[in-house]
Amino acid sequence: SQTIHQWPATLVQPVGSPLSLECTVEGTSNPNLYWYRQAAGRGLQLLFYSVGIGQISSEVPQNLSASRPQDRQFILSSKKLLLSDSGFYLCACNGVSTDTQYFGPGTRLTVL
Amino acid sequence: TQLLEQSPQFLSIQEGENLTVYCNSSSVFSSLQWYRQEPGEGPVLLVTVVTGGEVKKLKRLTFQFGDARKDSSLHITAAQPGDTGLYLCAGAFVYGNKLVFGAGTILRVKS
């Protein structure tokens, strides 16, 4: 079964600083990968998803970008963080079926 | 527009009580997933329901998919403090790569 790693686990950054969050997946190949943001422990907002290396679909126009340099690596970035970028960021990959998704442990980002 | 309406948003009950969480939509889903999430952790998949009318049981949890595959419910019998958490439903569309999530139900079970 797949295992999803995310780092860092927590991050405190000043407004205007850059961001790089990393997600790696083990135990599967050619997965669909997803970045979500969750505010205040509620529902998940899909930010980006990728069906293959170099293929990124953006769901919401925003201050963030994503890249997939390797099959099992997904990176979330920003050149200049905003206060509104604070939140809990989750990486996910699909299971055997694309209907199910499995989540990493998340990164708590606080922008001050 | 929220494609998946989840209710209630918050539920606080005593240990031993029963509860039901609902997930409703006007859209038809190819499948529906239920997740449970604890604070500071990622959601954990509980179950996937695929067939209209399907009922799945996971110990004290019973999941049902509506006949028209537009809605689902999660029923917990004799809730325990360990059931406390955020419960999320998520729907998948045919030929899609994405899930649509409900806003979640925060469950607190008091001992």
Side-chain angles (χ1 to χ4, degrees):
Chain A
S1 63
Q2 57 275 88
T3 303
I4 303 170
H5 302 280
Q6 288 187 244
W7 63 88
T10 59
L11 191 59
V12 180
Q13 291 285 94
V15 169
S17 64
L19 173 74
S20 181
L21 303 182
E22 188 164 349
C23 169
T24 58
V25 181
E26 295 178 356
T28 185
S29 60
N30 195 30
N32 292 345
L33 297 174
Y34 304 84
W35 277 113
Y36 290 89
R37 179 167 58 204
Q38 185 177 34
R42 300 299 293 184
L44 307 182
Q45 180 188 32
L46 179 63
L47 303 176
F48 302 93
Y49 73 95
S50 170
V51 298
I53 295 174
Q55 300 179 62
I56 308 294
S57 295
S58 175
E59 290 297 298
V60 189
Q62 57 202 311
N63 186 41
L64 302 169
S65 62
S67 61
R68 185 170 177 175
Q70 300 181 48
D71 180 45
R72 289 173 287 178
Q73 184 184 29
F74 204 22
I75 297 172
L76 184 69
S77 305
S78 174
K79 292 182 179 178
K80 290 185 177 182
L81 284 169
L82 305 172
L83 287 173
S84 57
D85 292 323
S86 293
F88 191 51
Y89 288 83
L90 288 158
C91 178
C93 75
N94 64 291
V96 173
S97 163
T98 56
D99 282 6
T100 57
Q101 292 181 14
Y102 297 91
F103 288 84
T107 295
R108 170 72 60 192
L109 171 66
T110 302
V111 182
L112 301 175
Chain B
T1 302
Q2 185 72 31
L3 291 181
L4 263 179
E5 298 289 339
Q6 195 170 336
S7 62
Q9 294 184 29
F10 182 77
L11 201 52
S12 180
I13 61 172
Q14 290 294 133
E15 182 177 2
E17 293 183 2
N18 302 331
L19 67 113
T20 302
V21 178
Y22 299 93
C23 197
N24 297 292
S25 176
S26 58
S27 303
V28 176
F29 296 106
S30 61
S31 69
L32 197 136
Q33 282 67 236
W34 284 93
Y35 294 83
R36 178 173 170 269
Q37 184 180 21
E38 297 199 34
E41 300 181 8
V44 175
L45 179 67
L46 296 174
V47 76
T48 297
V49 286
V50 178
T51 306
E54 181 177 6
V55 177
K56 282 191 174 180
K57 292 192 175 183
L58 186 66
K59 296 183 180 179
R60 293 176 293 100
L61 278 61
T62 301
F63 305 86
Q64 186 164 6
F65 202 13
D67 291 340
R69 290 186 289 137
K70 293 182 179 182
D71 55 271
S72 182
S73 64
L74 157 60
H75 182 79
I76 301 179
T77 303
Q80 299 177 2
D83 295 326
T84 293
L86 174 68
Y87 289 81
L88 295 159
C89 62
F93 295 99
V94 178
Y95 306 124
N97 290 311
K98 301 180 290 186
L99 295 179
V100 174
F101 280 84
T105 296
I106 298 173
L107 171 65
R108 180 188 174 199
V109 183
K110 296 175 285 187
S111 57

